[in-house]
Amino acid sequence: MAAVAVGAARLRSVRAIGPTTSSVSPGFMTEQSHDATAQPCNPDLAEMVYGVGKMDYRQTALTFYKEATAAGDKIFVSKGEQATYNDAKLACTNAGGQLASPQNAEENKAVLDFCKMYKVFPYLGINDLLIEGSFRYPNGEMLSYSNWSDKEPNNDQGVEDCVEMYDNGKWNDKNCNEKRLIICEF
């Protein structure tokens, strides 16, 4: 499978080796390998994942998804599918990850590359569902990095608690019931 280059990010195609089956999470298809020796086909990504000499949750990312990009210690993956915020969050959780939640410009760029590749705005794992106006990461921590678009967040019509990314990398608060691109991080 040929590698896909998108901008400065290292967007790579990865594949699971061995027979696969599909299982459905709400709004999301995943491919699971039955071969315990499945390895990513990209050596750079393989080194990042297996460099510590043990397999971990990141192997799941590489065996479940066809498109992956690394940024810092994270791997971002997407199959180009869309879902509501809750279904997207559940799909990522079921795969052992979480919705993409950029914590710096490099991670934001990695998510942006998927946005541009699929030509769909993605959800981020960031929201203010618990306290209006207090946007937090999935682990409950306050944002240490943000990239809001001008005049955002604005909680338009009082129903915008989730966050999407525009095709310029800027963020917008959005209604959680609309469908957006699913990008998971591991």
Side-chain angles (χ1 to χ4, degrees):
M1 192 182 303
V4 178
V6 179
R10 300 174 311 241
L11 188 62
R12 295 180 168 80
S13 297
V14 296
R15 63 180 172 81
I17 300 171
T20 60
T21 60
S22 293
S23 62
V24 180
S25 297
F28 202 68
M29 296 292 289
T30 59
E31 292 180 1
Q32 295 180 310
S33 173
H34 294 293
D35 182 352
T37 62
Q39 300 287 322
C41 65
N42 184 287
D44 293 335
L45 221 42
E47 181 180 332
M48 179 182 161
V49 173
Y50 300 107
V52 293
K54 66 177 184 172
M55 295 189 295
D56 59 17
Y57 65 93
R58 293 173 291 184
Q59 180 188 14
T60 302
L62 296 176
T63 57
F64 279 149
Y65 302 94
K66 294 181 181 178
E67 302 295 337
T69 186
D73 292 339
K74 294 181 182 178
I75 295 174
F76 297 91
V77 298
S78 181
K79 293 184 77 172
E81 297 182 12
Q82 299 177 46
T84 64
Y85 178 83
N86 284 332
D87 286 348
K89 180 179 169 184
L90 182 61
C92 291
T93 300
N94 286 343
Q98 67 180 20
L99 272 174
S101 303
Q103 295 186 353
N104 57 50
E106 180 186 14
E107 292 176 6
N108 203 71
K109 175 74 170 76
V111 174
L112 175 61
D113 288 339
F114 281 110
C115 176
K116 289 181 175 182
M117 180 172 72
Y118 289 114
K119 297 176 177 36
V120 179
F121 297 164
Y123 272 126
L124 302 180
I126 299 160
N127 67 66
D128 71 344
L129 290 165
L130 292 177
I131 302 171
E132 182 58 43
S134 180
F135 286 87
R136 297 175 181 268
Y137 292 114
N139 64 5
E141 291 181 15
M142 296 291 295
L143 296 183
S144 58
Y145 168 82
S146 66
N147 197 30
W148 295 108
S149 190
D150 290 340
K151 300 181 183 176
E152 298 294 346
N154 63 4
N155 196 28
D156 188 40
Q157 299 180 20
V159 295
E160 296 186 328
D161 295 314
C162 294
V163 179
E164 68 180 350
M165 179 185 284
Y166 289 144
D167 59 5
N168 63 0
K170 296 291 186 177
W171 301 356
N172 173 51
D173 56 335
K174 192 70 180 170
N175 184 318
C176 301
N177 293 322
E178 296 187 29
K179 290 188 176 184
R180 293 291 180 261
L181 179 65
I182 303 170
I183 301 174
C184 301
E185 72 177 42
F186 295 86

